[in-house]
Amino acid sequence: MNLSEETFILAFRRFASRKSLPKIKISDNGTTFIAAAKQLTRSSSVIEKLNNFGTTWKFIPKRAPWYGGFWERLIGLTKDSIKKILVRSLIQIELLRTIVTEFEAILNVRPLTYVSSDPIR
């Protein structure tokens, strides 16, 4: 896996193309994210490109793991679904990408709030 600045920018562009350009990226305080943020802040080209996109990178409060509970729940749903489908199968990366993309589509169809069955509400 290549963790260069160019690879990060390309991955971010792919993400923004699929989902839309985020104004704020919020990460938990995992050591990987903290290390990546420190390394990226040393790179003026990455910071400049993120600023050109209009994106800022923020972290959840320290020692507040419940803060990201809503996205952790979605991650859990995705992991559980993939485990149930694949069990212990060995598959090629293209099939895994396809399965993950299909789960992404399923999760993104869900309503964000309660949907009443009463047509007046």
Side-chain angles (χ1 to χ4, degrees):
M1 178 184 283
N2 183 352
L3 299 177
S4 69
E5 296 167 12
E6 182 181 344
T7 303
F8 170 80
I9 292 296
L10 291 174
F12 183 74
R13 285 175 53 192
R14 285 191 304 271
F15 174 82
S17 296
R18 281 175 114 180
K19 298 295 180 191
S20 78
L21 187 63
K23 294 294 178 194
I24 301 172
K25 292 186 313 174
I26 301 175
S27 300
D28 63 17
N29 291 299
T31 54
T32 306
F33 292 130
I34 299 292
K38 284 180 184 175
Q39 183 174 355
L40 290 174
T41 55
R42 291 187 205 124
S43 166
S44 61
S45 65
V46 171
I47 297 302
E48 181 181 319
K49 289 205 182 210
L50 287 178
N51 288 339
N52 289 342
F53 291 138
T55 301
T56 57
W57 191 351
K58 295 185 178 184
F59 291 91
I60 65 171
K62 291 188 178 186
R63 293 180 177 71
W66 61 87
Y67 191 85
F70 65 95
W71 69 70
E72 293 294 343
R73 178 65 182 134
L74 293 175
I75 291 169
L77 285 171
T78 304
K79 283 182 177 181
D80 290 345
S81 300
I82 290 172
K83 286 177 186 176
K84 288 178 183 176
I85 295 295
L86 297 180
V87 188
R88 302 189 105 204
S89 303
L90 291 175
I91 61 171
Q92 295 180 349
I93 190 70
E94 288 303 315
L95 179 57
L96 180 62
R97 285 183 183 148
T98 302
I99 291 170
V100 170
T101 304
E102 289 172 346
F103 282 124
E104 175 185 330
I106 291 168
L107 290 175
N108 286 337
V109 171
R110 300 172 349 138
L112 295 176
T113 62
Y114 173 75
V115 177
S116 174
S117 59
D118 184 4
I120 296 173
R121 293 184 182 198

